[in-house]
Amino acid sequence: MMITKEALHKKSPQEVTALLYEACMDRLEEAKARIEANDLVGANHRLQKSSDIFERLGAGLNYEAGIISDQLEVLYMYMADLVVQANYQKNTALIDEVLNLLATLSQAWHQAMNENRDLQPKAAKQKVNAYERSVMYDH
């Protein structure tokens, strides 16, 4: 799935994370298919893209959110290491392990987003945004 930069800027950080999970799973599925087709260069390219996505996910962690950020960092690093090993070995079983972990994480992420969506009325959000803008320029 391709998304324009303009559309991406309209997404919340939570939605961007969900998109990164989906993109990573797509690249991993493509890498598996390339390995099975003996296209090792293509597999390498897609596995490197997956590694880049894990790096972006780690860079986007909000450590003020509490221990969950530390736990996600460890999980991202573990999955990134598996991707590197899978790339060296061209091992689809390791890719499957990452896919299973990522699918579970993505499902939980979507569930959390749906449960917390729009709990705050739109008017209240606009007031908060106006306040935040005012605070940013007052200091």
Side-chain angles (χ1 to χ4, degrees):
M1 176 176 72
M2 289 294 294
I3 187 166
T4 64
K5 284 185 176 182
E6 183 180 341
L8 189 60
H9 286 292
K10 293 179 181 176
K11 301 284 184 191
S12 70
Q14 294 79 15
E15 291 170 326
V16 171
T17 298
L19 288 172
L20 287 172
Y21 289 159
E22 290 175 28
C24 192
M25 288 189 291
D26 289 347
R27 297 297 90 68
L28 291 169
E29 289 287 352
E30 291 170 5
K32 274 181 57 180
R34 298 292 176 146
I35 290 171
E36 290 165 358
N38 206 26
D39 175 10
L40 303 184
V41 172
N44 176 52
H45 180 71
R46 278 138 186 99
L47 290 169
Q48 286 182 354
K49 291 268 185 190
S50 297
S51 292
D52 291 345
I53 291 171
F54 282 119
E55 189 174 320
R56 289 181 189 188
L57 285 166
L61 287 171
N62 176 5
Y63 289 97
E64 293 177 7
I67 193 167
I68 188 73
S69 298
D70 294 327
Q71 294 169 334
L72 281 172
E73 181 183 26
V74 170
L75 186 56
Y76 294 158
M77 289 172 49
Y78 175 71
M79 290 189 289
D81 285 346
L82 286 178
V83 168
V84 170
Q85 289 177 38
N87 202 3
Y88 278 123
Q89 302 169 13
K90 300 300 184 249
N91 184 331
T92 58
L94 292 174
I95 295 172
D96 283 336
E97 184 176 343
V98 176
L99 278 168
N100 287 334
L101 290 168
L102 205 49
T104 301
L105 185 59
S106 177
Q107 185 179 22
W109 192 265
H110 278 93
Q111 184 178 350
M113 281 187 358
N114 288 334
E115 289 175 3
N116 293 317
R117 185 172 300 210
D118 292 326
L119 294 177
Q120 190 177 29
K122 188 174 183 176
K125 288 180 190 173
Q126 289 173 337
K127 283 183 182 176
V128 169
N129 287 341
Y131 172 76
E132 288 174 352
R133 273 185 255 139
S134 171
V135 169
M136 285 177 52
Y137 295 111
D138 286 345
H139 295 282

